[in-house]
Amino acid sequence: MFEGLSTGPRENTQKGTVSSMSSKSHFHISPDKVRSVAVIGAGSVGASWAALFLAHGLDVVAYDPGPGAEARARQFIADAWPALVELGQAATPQPPMERLSFAATISEAAREADAVQENVLERLELKAKVLAEIDAAASPDKIILSSTGGITPSVMQASCANPERLVVLHPFNPSHLMPLVEVVGGKQTSPEVVEWAMAFARRLGKKPIRLNAEAKGHMTNRLQFALVREAVACLTEGMASAEDIDAALRYGLAPRWLLMGSLLTLHMAGGEGGMQGILDHTGKALEEWWTPTEQVSLTPQVVSRLVEAAREVSGGQPVRDWVHWRDESLVDVLSLQKNAERGAPPQDKAAAA
């Protein structure tokens, strides 16, 4: 049913990459030749990946031992499909559910597919156990991708006999819609495997970024939670209401950040002088603005205030209603972003260097 990779010797007649870590050398199937992916863990992240894989013509072999996991995953994919169609990611009006199967064990799924995407809960002990089982079952030429949002790959590699083929491919919620993925190699990850993950992400219509250093939470979460920390600080200091704090982001920062990141924004703030101009003119003030006023801790009082703030900004409506609205609206937002990028000034990489 699925086109897996053989575990024996292979002729180099198929386009691919060779990983050369120490004495280990394995031929990896080319990212554009992958025909099936094992999805280990079929919760919201795993089901999102499954939907995207199916949209790009891949077979999916999933594993999730949770009661009702298969039914929930299939429903998630069905609900996600219209957005994928509208964004041009899926070519068929209905998801090809016949290309999705559920394996009885992790080992079965890992053996059957061309590559493996791990999506289990963010608990190191659990990930270590699951990755060890994947590593033992999947032939050494198969790439193992982890969706972890916080654990560094070098830590996870301790569980693997073939650590050179493990790489983080960290998506953002909702994973089937958000373009960004972070690609993070560990100390033992082969450079060819990092390149493989970048190419595979692009095949799926993603915008991959390569992180050159490991950190807990990776990079984008670091950026995100720096802002969250300041939002919580503003709330606890009584600077503004929860609704107005969120409004500052939605209407003051988010529209501009849809078009450009914080570094390009800072560069543009300097006018013709660019980055050097803004730093010369307001560098001291910038240092004061970006220095946290206080350390924010999740004391019982702060937790209570955040729960109250959540009721305020959500209008008391169920989370599922906000998720539905967000996912539907993201289709329009992402289309707008893509169209806007077409008109951006062309970048001269040589001049920038």
Side-chain angles (χ1 to χ4, degrees):
M1 180 173 61
F2 295 96
E3 296 180 21
L5 294 175
S6 65
T7 57
R10 177 195 307 267
E11 293 182 8
N12 286 347
T13 55
Q14 186 180 35
K15 182 181 177 184
T17 60
V18 176
S19 168
S20 53
M21 277 293 292
S22 64
S23 61
K24 295 182 179 180
S25 182
H26 302 296
F27 179 89
H28 301 297
I29 186 173
S30 176
D32 63 343
K33 300 296 184 183
V34 171
R35 294 292 175 261
S36 59
V37 182
V39 172
I40 310 301
S44 58
V45 175
S48 282
W49 275 122
L52 188 64
F53 294 149
L54 290 171
H56 284 265
L58 301 176
D59 292 331
V60 174
V61 191
Y63 171 80
D64 193 310
E70 180 173 354
R72 285 193 300 273
R74 290 184 181 276
Q75 186 60 57
F76 184 101
I77 292 168
D79 292 341
W81 203 256
L84 289 168
V85 172
E86 193 167 347
L87 287 170
Q89 296 269 32
T92 60
Q94 299 297 326
M97 291 298 190
E98 70 279 2
R99 301 180 74 168
L100 169 65
S101 65
F102 271 72
T105 65
I106 291 174
S107 298
E108 179 187 335
R111 283 193 299 266
E112 203 163 341
D114 293 345
V116 183
Q117 181 81 43
E118 173 274 313
N119 317 282
V120 301
L121 296 175
E122 291 288 297
R123 297 203 300 265
L124 180 56
E125 299 80 4
L126 176 62
K127 281 197 182 289
K129 180 178 180 297
V130 169
L131 287 169
E133 190 169 347
I134 293 170
D135 186 61
S139 56
D141 49 3
K142 295 181 182 180
I143 305 296
I144 301 175
L145 306 159
S146 175
S147 294
T148 180
I151 303 173
T152 58
S154 290
V155 170
M156 296 189 296
Q157 285 174 326
S159 307
C160 301
N162 300 283
E164 71 282 348
R165 45 90 170 261
L166 173 65
V167 62
V168 168
L169 188 68
H170 174 226
F172 292 84
N173 190 35
S175 306
H176 60 288
L177 296 181
M178 297 299 287
L180 186 71
V181 287
E182 292 176 317
V183 176
V184 194
K187 292 176 182 177
Q188 300 181 75
T189 306
S190 164
E192 291 84 4
V193 169
V194 173
E195 291 293 341
W196 190 100
M198 294 285 290
F200 187 58
R202 293 190 191 101
R203 175 189 171 180
L204 299 172
K206 293 289 192 181
K207 294 281 188 182
I209 58 174
R210 184 201 317 262
L211 303 195
N212 299 319
E214 299 179 68
K216 290 181 179 178
H218 313 314
M219 185 182 74
T220 308
N221 277 337
R222 179 177 176 179
L223 297 171
Q224 175 179 213
F225 283 99
L227 189 54
V228 170
R229 181 196 63 221
E230 288 304 309
V232 174
C234 290
L235 186 69
T236 58
E237 292 169 8
M239 183 173 288
S241 67
E243 188 173 2
D244 283 349
I245 290 170
D246 269 10
L249 301 180
R250 293 179 65 194
Y251 303 112
L253 301 178
R256 187 168 58 194
W257 283 353
L258 180 70
L259 301 175
M260 62 193 70
S262 54
L263 296 179
L264 181 54
T265 298
L266 188 60
H267 174 60
M268 291 178 64
E272 290 301 316
M275 183 70 78
Q276 190 66 58
I278 190 66
L279 296 180
D280 290 343
H281 184 64
T282 61
K284 185 62 177 176
L286 290 176
E287 285 187 310
E288 293 177 358
W289 294 343
W290 70 38
T291 300
T293 55
E294 63 178 65
Q295 179 63 38
V296 178
S297 299
L298 290 175
T299 64
Q301 293 79 14
V302 171
V303 170
S304 177
R305 184 68 187 92
L306 285 172
V307 172
E308 180 185 339
R311 285 195 292 267
E312 180 183 337
V313 297
S314 68
Q317 298 304 308
V319 170
R320 63 178 176 274
D321 290 353
W322 283 103
V323 169
H324 180 72
W325 169 79
R326 178 201 65 190
D327 291 359
E328 278 199 340
S329 301
L330 271 173
V331 173
D332 294 331
V333 171
L334 292 172
S335 297
L336 176 64
Q337 183 184 51
K338 190 173 183 179
N339 289 333
E341 286 177 346
R342 294 192 182 104
Q347 292 186 331
D348 187 343
K349 299 292 185 181

